[in-house]
Amino acid sequence: MNGFNNVYKNKTVLVTGHTGFKGSWLSIWLHELGAKVIGYSLDPYTDRDNFVLSKVGEKIVDIRGDIRDKAKLEEVFAKYNPELVFHLAAQPLVRLSYENPVETYETNVMGTINVLEAIRKTKATKAGIMVTTDKCYDNKEQLWGYRESDPMGGYDPYSSSKGAAEIAINSWRLSFMNPKDYKKHGKSIASVRAGNVIGGGDWAKDRIIPDCIKALEANKPIEIRSPKSVRPWEHVLEPLSGYLMLGEKMYNNPVDYAEAWNFGPELNSIIPVWDVSQSVLNYYGRGELKDVSDPNAVHEAKLLALDISKARFKLGWIPTLNIEETIELTVDWYKDYNDIDVYDLCKKQIMDFSVKGGYS
């Protein structure tokens, strides 16, 4: 598979969080692009995760470790000398962050700083793409999308930890890897923020697509706890294509792209949870929805959108799929994963997406 001007071919690329939902898809895509992928992560969440079923761990260097373990992380950098780093490892769930707030901060803030320090100390590493979230913004639940220059914040421990991580990333970039001093340090650091990412192989707790599929497979109604919450929905391959495009730009032109970037969907993909769930039922072919919203539930944002003008005009990146195509591609994975080799299933979806988006 070609793409991204072959910049990843024969490059050593470290992916933290490679056993996770987005990390597994990125690892497959990088492997197909000819990269030598080094994965560093905790164990997969379930035995049905995309990482497990695709067996991508057999095709890459699969290392289990915690990003809070600074010494082990630096050993991996020293041994493999990655040229590019995609940092995805995180505690990624809002509701879980209420249960484990300290661990959430240790992972999302100090873990990110550990990765930044390893990049800083490793001469071979040229570019680091630090993945955070759209929830890093100080969300006023406004109608217009947030721009990269808007203030960081966050109500819940997860969102605020990601806002804090963004502040740390920018501090390390300005203090130690400033683009103005690139000739001295040779590093390019960017942060990337995506919307609500969906796609095949995600079984995480308290996410709408896994909740839908689990209920459908058990022949139970789908319980919707926040039916009116509006989110920027996008297929997992959308932000990954942006990360890969950005990585290519940073590797070849490191000074001009070392900053923050949004990779969200078009405005017509910013719709309520209930509508997404109904579309899942339509493509799956059966099922029913049940509103179980609780007025006393822990706080979760009701409205969130991203402004992607910067990525559109400075990178030339635009979303490939509309909301119906996004949901259909996601449901197709869950309808097929029991009957088709999952790595081949993922590879075909990546190839079809690449052709449609002009990445091949």
Side-chain angles (χ1 to χ4, degrees):
M1 184 184 296
N2 297 321
F4 307 101
N5 293 312
N6 284 320
V7 76
Y8 296 102
K9 189 175 181 63
N10 298 321
K11 297 288 194 310
T12 301
V13 182
L14 175 69
V15 178
T16 72
H18 71 294
T19 64
F21 168 48
K22 289 171 71 176
S24 64
W25 279 95
L26 179 59
S27 296
I28 292 170
W29 201 340
L30 283 166
H31 177 72
E32 291 300 318
L33 289 169
K36 179 184 178 183
V37 181
I38 315 298
Y40 183 89
S41 181
L42 298 176
D43 291 335
Y45 181 70
T46 77
D47 60 5
R48 291 201 294 173
D49 281 13
N50 188 52
F51 175 83
V52 178
L53 297 183
S54 70
K55 300 180 180 179
V56 64
E58 299 176 3
K59 301 178 184 293
I60 66 175
V61 178
D62 177 17
I63 302 169
R64 299 303 160 86
D66 194 318
I67 55 168
R68 293 174 295 177
D69 187 342
K70 186 172 181 286
K72 183 171 182 178
L73 186 64
E74 291 185 348
E75 287 176 5
V76 171
F77 270 79
K79 180 176 180 179
Y80 293 100
N81 288 300
E83 296 162 86
L84 297 104
V85 175
F86 290 89
H87 171 49
L88 287 79
Q91 192 298 93
L93 302 173
V94 171
R95 284 162 66 89
L96 184 59
S97 75
Y98 282 104
E99 299 173 20
N100 300 309
V102 175
E103 180 180 331
T104 297
Y105 258 75
E106 288 173 344
T107 301
N108 294 349
V109 181
M110 288 310 303
T112 296
I113 289 173
N114 289 341
V115 174
L116 287 166
E117 281 290 273
I119 291 172
R120 184 163 78 97
K121 295 176 181 179
T122 306
K123 185 177 181 180
T125 306
K126 303 301 181 186
I129 295 87
M130 317 298 288
V131 180
T132 63
T133 175
D134 57 348
K135 296 177 180 64
C136 66
Y137 291 105
D138 183 14
N139 187 11
K140 305 298 185 183
E141 306 210 7
Q142 61 194 27
L143 293 175
W144 51 92
Y146 290 96
R147 295 179 177 177
E148 289 86 347
S149 57
D150 284 333
M152 298 294 99
Y155 181 110
D156 57 88
Y158 167 72
S159 302
S160 60
S161 74
K162 286 296 194 174
E166 281 281 359
I167 292 171
I169 292 165
N170 192 50
S171 173
W172 257 252
R173 176 171 47 225
L174 295 176
S175 300
F176 308 115
M177 294 171 276
N178 196 305
K180 295 178 182 178
D181 300 321
Y182 176 77
K183 290 184 179 180
K184 295 180 182 178
H185 55 72
K187 314 289 183 187
S188 183
I189 301 294
S191 64
V192 293
R193 307 152 186 176
N196 272 48
V197 177
I198 64 176
D202 183 12
W203 298 101
K205 184 181 179 183
D206 293 332
R207 285 185 182 157
I208 188 59
I209 297 300
D211 287 351
C212 287
I213 300 302
K214 290 172 189 174
L216 289 167
E217 292 186 343
N219 293 312
K220 295 180 179 179
I222 299 170
E223 297 184 346
I224 309 298
R225 68 175 189 275
S226 301
K228 297 180 181 179
S229 294
V230 177
R231 298 285 187 270
W233 307 97
E234 57 186 328
H235 192 273
V236 62
L237 297 179
E238 299 277 25
L240 294 186
S241 68
Y243 305 167
L244 289 167
M245 179 183 287
L246 177 61
E248 173 203 337
K249 301 282 190 184
M250 291 169 66
Y251 192 86
N252 291 321
N253 191 355
V255 173
D256 292 342
Y257 299 94
E259 49 195 43
W261 301 87
N262 287 340
F263 294 103
E266 300 284 11
L267 291 177
N268 59 9
S269 291
I270 305 173
I271 64 174
V273 169
W274 187 270
D275 294 358
V276 168
S277 305
Q278 186 60 60
S279 289
V280 170
L281 297 190
N282 294 341
Y283 285 110
Y284 205 86
R286 60 180 174 84
E288 62 177 302
L289 305 181
K290 182 179 180 181
D291 185 343
V292 295
S293 50
D294 177 4
N296 298 314
V298 296
H299 176 273
E300 293 187 74
K302 302 301 181 186
L303 176 63
L304 182 60
L306 292 174
D307 185 323
I308 59 172
S309 301
K310 181 178 172 182
R312 184 189 299 273
F313 292 111
K314 291 191 69 175
L315 290 178
W317 177 88
I318 57 172
T320 297
L321 307 174
N322 62 37
I323 185 61
E324 290 301 321
E325 292 170 326
T326 294
I327 296 171
E328 182 178 16
L329 189 62
T330 298
V331 173
D332 282 349
W333 190 99
Y334 288 103
K335 290 171 70 174
D336 292 340
Y337 80 95
N338 282 317
D339 303 315
I340 299 176
D341 180 271
V342 171
Y343 188 92
D344 290 341
L345 174 60
C346 293
K347 180 180 176 180
K348 184 179 187 306
Q349 290 198 345
I350 291 170
M351 292 181 68
D352 291 345
F353 177 88
S354 296
V355 171
K356 185 176 179 65
Y359 301 114
S360 59

